[in-house]
Amino acid sequence: MTPPNRNPRHRTPRQHPPARGGNPTRRAALALLSAVLDRHRPLEEALDALPPSDPRDRAAAHRIAAAVLRRLGSLDAVLEPLLRREPPPEVRQALRIGAAELLLLATPPHAAVASCVDLVPRPFAGLVNAVLRKVATDGPQALEELDGERLDTPGWLWTAWHKSYGPAVRAIARAHRQPAPLDLSLKPGTALPEGAVLLPTGTARLPAGTRITELPVFAEGNAWAQDAAAALPARLLAARPGEAVADLCAAPGGKTAQLAAAGARVVAVERDPLRILRLRENLARLGLDASVVQGDATTWDPGTRFDAILLDAPCSATGTMRRHPDVPFLKRPTDVPTLARLQQPLLAHAASLLAPGGRLVFATCSLQAEEGEAQAAAAPAGLRPDPIRPEEVPGLEAAITPEGWLRTRPDLWAEQGGMDGFFIARFRAG
């Protein structure tokens, strides 16, 4: 998948009269796509930067932008035969929005076409109108004939996943094309929210598109958003009441909340001051207590040792593409070895903070073997493997590797809505 700003036909556009305005939802969607594809800003950051607007308009704009990002290769392949030359970036984004609404989101053709025509400068209104009308009539068949899994997955990721997972690469790519459900972690004793399904590992799952802020369980401070796979590292650490536990690289705080809710004495370590603010806000909303420390997890030393440590290391986040479809446009192949080189010293330092016999869980939300299996295989000599047992991960027994590690993938639990790609390994000191 070629990023739009690297299209060899792209030229700096001439100045044209401004667009006529357009529907606020589509304007916001265009702003989001421009931020991700042209300026390489994270989608959530771009969403936060939008001017104040109705929450439903923002949610709808996010839905449209996410649909475009998930299926960008396929949408461009449908549009390509209908364009004689590369349009300016804002026109290209408007065409993508229109194509996504017509082919993926079931928007009535007249509404999709008219709203996108209003997004572009006047000289391009006729082009957008003609192209999208053609998409409305011929696009469904054209989309059906494409190899969407390949087109919607960057080549470097497809190659890496095929090497690691073989034919399952197609199922992984297929899972990335669907919106993820809303997963919740609940405080102990909290009743299952209305309409939720309880997954075998204890996560509450609600349908994709559910607005978490409208759930009573969220407003009451009894739940937080956390993918089913993301909840597993803390579950497998199995913190006990009163234990001294460190959560390294802790923001935004979902795993810290799990450990604190289990009754552990938690120290949450985070380097980024802005992310610390979010961590504190999340803990305050939940009414959970943890000692939050700003520090570099590769060097931080409190002068004491811990019964258990959770290290969810910084990584390429390629396992989270179901929820973050901007990831393929923000990451490059060179990012993976760079991040892998940072993970090994983090793991080594975390091991040095363990008390004798203490437990350590290492995790990454990446599908790349360099950031998971390779790191566990090169664990410091002071750590001995503590294999994950089938009864600890009900329903995911097949995800346990021969080494006793856990490798989740987006195509697992496909009928229930999938899960993020995570690697998890557990060790003991000594």
Side-chain angles (χ1 to χ4, degrees):
M1 187 188 309
T2 304
N5 66 324
R6 295 188 179 184
N7 191 312
R9 299 190 304 169
H10 174 72
R11 298 290 184 270
T12 301
R14 294 177 296 172
Q15 294 297 315
H16 296 287
R20 287 169 284 179
N23 177 282
T25 294
R26 277 74 173 197
R27 284 203 311 270
L30 189 146
L32 294 176
L33 288 173
S34 297
V36 173
L37 298 175
D38 300 331
R39 300 193 298 280
H40 303 290
R41 294 182 63 189
L43 181 58
E44 295 301 326
E45 179 183 305
L47 187 66
D48 290 341
L50 288 176
S53 60
D54 184 277
R56 295 188 181 277
D57 282 339
R58 293 168 66 89
H62 183 275
R63 177 171 175 259
I64 292 170
V68 172
L69 294 173
R70 287 190 183 98
R71 302 295 303 277
L72 186 68
S74 294
L75 294 175
D76 278 354
V78 170
L79 291 168
E80 195 67 22
L82 307 178
L83 296 171
R84 299 176 63 180
R85 60 180 60 88
E86 178 66 16
E90 71 273 21
V91 178
R92 168 66 81 169
Q93 308 303 8
L95 288 169
R96 288 166 168 161
I97 288 170
E101 292 205 75
L102 290 166
L103 301 177
L104 307 176
L105 301 176
T107 304
H110 67 278
V113 174
S115 62
C116 289
V117 166
D118 286 342
L119 284 176
V120 300
R122 289 182 184 275
F124 294 95
L127 170 70
V128 170
N129 181 71
V131 168
L132 291 183
R133 288 187 180 278
K134 193 70 172 173
V135 171
T137 57
D138 300 345
Q141 181 177 344
L143 186 69
E144 183 69 24
E145 294 171 352
L146 297 173
D147 185 353
E149 285 89 1
R150 289 297 301 266
L151 286 168
D152 297 329
T153 306
W156 67 276
L157 286 174
W158 184 278
T159 299
W161 296 343
H162 189 271
K163 180 179 178 181
S164 295
Y165 310 114
V169 63
R170 281 203 172 271
I172 292 171
R174 196 175 307 122
H176 286 154
R177 300 165 72 197
Q178 302 300 322
L182 173 64
D183 284 356
L184 298 177
S185 287
L186 305 175
K187 279 185 180 178
T190 300
L192 191 68
E194 183 179 355
V197 173
L198 188 65
L199 299 178
T201 53
T203 291
R205 173 161 289 181
L206 290 131
T210 303
R211 293 171 59 84
I212 188 171
T213 54
E214 296 178 358
L215 298 175
V217 72
F218 179 83
E220 294 160 0
N222 290 322
W224 58 98
Q226 188 175 37
D227 187 86
L232 294 173
R235 177 186 177 97
L236 292 169
L237 191 64
R240 296 184 286 272
E243 280 193 314
V245 179
D247 182 8
L248 306 182
C249 310
K255 298 174 184 65
T256 299
Q258 285 178 277
L259 300 170
R265 294 182 291 112
V266 185
V267 179
V269 182
E270 174 58 50
R271 183 175 63 179
D272 187 329
L274 293 179
R275 287 171 63 81
I276 282 179
L277 290 177
R278 185 178 176 192
L279 171 59
R280 292 185 186 277
E281 289 170 356
N282 287 335
L283 290 173
R285 184 186 66 79
L286 294 167
L288 294 172
D289 183 47
S291 175
V292 179
V293 175
Q294 183 176 353
D296 186 336
T298 60
T299 58
W300 174 76
D301 189 347
T304 188
R305 296 297 174 260
F306 293 91
D307 300 310
I309 292 176
L310 176 58
L311 172 59
D312 185 4
C315 68
S316 61
T318 55
T320 69
M321 287 167 55
R322 294 160 61 252
R323 300 187 182 280
H324 302 287
D326 52 334
V327 166
F329 308 99
L330 304 177
K331 304 296 182 183
R332 297 291 181 265
T334 53
D335 293 334
V336 174
T338 298
L339 287 161
R341 285 193 293 270
L342 295 175
Q343 291 156 9
Q344 201 61 43
L346 279 168
L347 181 55
H349 187 65
S352 74
L353 300 177
L354 276 179
R359 311 181 307 284
L360 187 150
V361 165
F362 169 81
T364 56
C365 56
S366 170
L367 287 167
Q368 314 313 113
E370 302 96 314
E371 299 181 283
E373 290 83 350
Q375 298 296 325
L383 295 177
R384 55 184 173 86
D386 185 6
I388 294 164
R389 303 182 303 278
E391 61 269 22
E392 295 181 281
V393 284
L396 292 172
E397 295 86 353
I400 300 176
T401 73
E403 299 85 356
W405 307 326
L406 191 71
R407 163 55 77 188
T408 68
R409 301 193 317 247
D411 59 308
L412 299 181
W413 286 355
E415 292 184 0
Q416 297 102 312
M419 62 174 52
D420 282 355
F422 255 80
F423 175 83
I424 305 168
R426 186 172 58 195
F427 305 93
R428 285 189 179 271

